[in-house]
Amino acid sequence: MALIFHFHPLSSFCHKALIALNELEVEADRRFLDLGDEAQRADFLARWPTGKMPLLIDDGRVVPETSIIIEYLARHHARPGQTLIPLDADAALEVRLMDRLLDLYVMLPMQAIVGDRLREEEDRDPFTVERSRDTLAMAYGMLEGKLADRAWMAGAAFSMADCAAAPSLFYATTIVPFTAEHPRLAAYFARLMQRPSVARTLDEARPYFQFYPYREGLPAQFRPA
């Protein structure tokens, strides 16, 4: 049975795993998941009760959570020599550290801000939004320092950390742009956007960016006409 990958084309966490699929050149049946559809939602929750995307199914085996999905793909489906996790133990720890930092301090606060804009005006939470903006600014400074001596997020090679960085920074910069204090981070982000695995993921998502609530902040080539 082919790999089945359940995803939504606007989801940053789905983009993270899609970049890994593209980078590793792993074929999968990519299935658009519409949780607004009652039947799809019921089937998905039966497989993974948290309801969180993406989800990988491998011959009936359920593989959830983006970092686990990426490690699973690299271990079981990548060609020999292809990996997004270094074999060296210390290098692998750095990749996992940067992956977690990006998920926790860029991806999640970005999602909190986007989610707040989707609420009705009376239900919005300015305190959480401001705190999330502060977290993004802190994270940018931290990443700027980390990039002082490396080409990619966790070292000399593209890794799982870069799979996390691409979508988290892509969306986060529509809310809190880089400043003059982040030249290395801005240069790194430009390299990310040119990576074929990242470019393919964003290009396939392009038709859906019209539904993104901060679409006015997207890079010019991705803004809806």
Side-chain angles (χ1 to χ4, degrees):
M1 180 186 295
L3 284 172
I4 300 171
F5 182 73
H6 295 279
F7 78 108
H8 189 282
L10 274 181
S11 163
S12 54
F13 276 110
C14 290
H15 284 192
K16 175 181 169 180
L18 283 166
I19 290 166
L21 280 168
N22 293 336
E23 188 72 26
L24 296 171
E25 299 179 305
V26 174
E27 294 297 322
D29 179 3
R30 304 181 184 199
R31 296 187 182 179
F32 180 108
L33 178 60
D34 179 8
L35 290 177
D37 180 279
E38 186 175 337
Q40 285 192 47
R41 183 177 183 83
D43 180 68
F44 187 73
L45 291 175
R47 293 178 181 274
W48 188 237
T50 71
K52 299 293 186 180
M53 295 182 281
L55 191 69
L56 183 73
I57 310 295
D58 185 7
D59 197 22
R61 180 177 182 176
V62 175
V63 185
E65 301 297 328
T66 54
S67 299
I68 303 303
I69 288 171
I70 292 171
E71 292 214 36
Y72 182 88
L73 290 171
R75 180 174 299 180
H76 295 287
H77 291 279
R79 295 197 304 269
Q82 278 189 312
T83 185
L84 293 169
I85 311 292
L87 295 178
D88 177 81
D90 287 340
L93 282 177
E94 183 65 15
V95 167
R96 293 186 179 101
L97 170 63
M98 297 312 300
D99 173 71
R100 300 313 305 137
L101 293 177
L102 285 153
D103 279 359
L104 293 172
Y105 301 111
V106 181
M107 195 91 81
L108 290 182
M110 173 275 293
Q111 288 189 337
I113 298 170
V114 172
D116 190 77
R117 179 173 273 200
L118 292 171
R119 296 190 183 105
E120 296 295 332
E121 188 72 36
E122 62 272 18
D123 295 327
R124 291 183 179 174
D125 182 357
F127 175 76
T128 295
V129 169
E130 189 61 29
R131 185 171 59 184
S132 297
R133 287 179 177 273
D134 290 343
T135 299
L136 287 176
M138 176 279 296
Y140 289 177
M142 176 177 61
L143 297 175
E144 178 72 15
K146 289 285 189 180
L147 289 165
D149 59 353
R150 53 185 71 170
W152 295 105
M153 185 53 71
F158 189 95
S159 71
M160 178 170 68
D162 302 290
C163 296
S168 59
L169 292 172
F170 178 79
Y171 284 119
T173 55
T174 68
I175 301 165
V176 179
F178 300 140
T179 71
E181 297 178 353
H182 310 121
R184 289 190 290 262
L185 185 56
Y188 163 74
F189 181 68
R191 290 195 296 277
L192 270 181
M193 294 299 100
Q194 294 171 3
R195 187 81 177 185
S197 58
V198 175
R200 176 185 171 185
T201 300
L202 293 175
D203 189 61
E204 291 174 349
R206 189 189 304 267
Y208 300 91
F209 285 139
Q210 62 181 306
F211 304 112
Y212 175 56
Y214 284 91
R215 52 190 170 273
E216 69 278 3
L218 289 167
Q221 67 268 35
F222 294 109
R223 289 178 206 152

